[in-house]
Amino acid sequence: RAFGYSLVDGIKVPREDEQAVIRQMQAMRDAGAGYRQIAEWMAVTQERKMTFTGVKRTLLEAAHNG
């Protein structure tokens, strides 16, 4: 499943707890953090392993979904 969403009857439904993390990720990116740095932050603070490409994909999807 995509980070930030749950699948309910085949429909992506936002998970507010993960959406809050995505907002933090975006704030870090806006402040100049790289995708790898955000991925490391995720591993340490959120106990979720995510590659830098996963971080990029998550942030691009969030920007697209507004």
Side-chain angles (χ1 to χ4, degrees):
R1 78 173 170 83
F3 183 73
Y5 299 90
S6 292
L7 281 178
V8 178
D9 296 326
I11 299 169
K12 287 190 338 184
V13 177
R15 291 179 49 139
E16 186 49 42
D17 58 334
E18 292 180 358
Q19 291 295 318
V21 173
I22 292 171
R23 288 190 293 274
Q24 288 179 285
M25 293 165 64
Q26 187 60 58
M28 292 175 70
R29 185 73 181 142
D30 292 344
Y35 296 120
R36 288 181 197 274
Q37 184 179 2
I38 297 169
E40 291 170 5
W41 173 82
M42 287 288 293
V44 172
T45 65
Q46 304 301 311
E47 298 180 354
R48 177 172 178 106
K49 290 186 179 183
M50 187 179 284
T51 65
F52 75 94
T53 56
V55 169
K56 182 177 181 179
R57 183 176 52 250
T58 297
L59 293 178
L60 288 174
E61 183 174 314
H64 176 71
N65 290 332

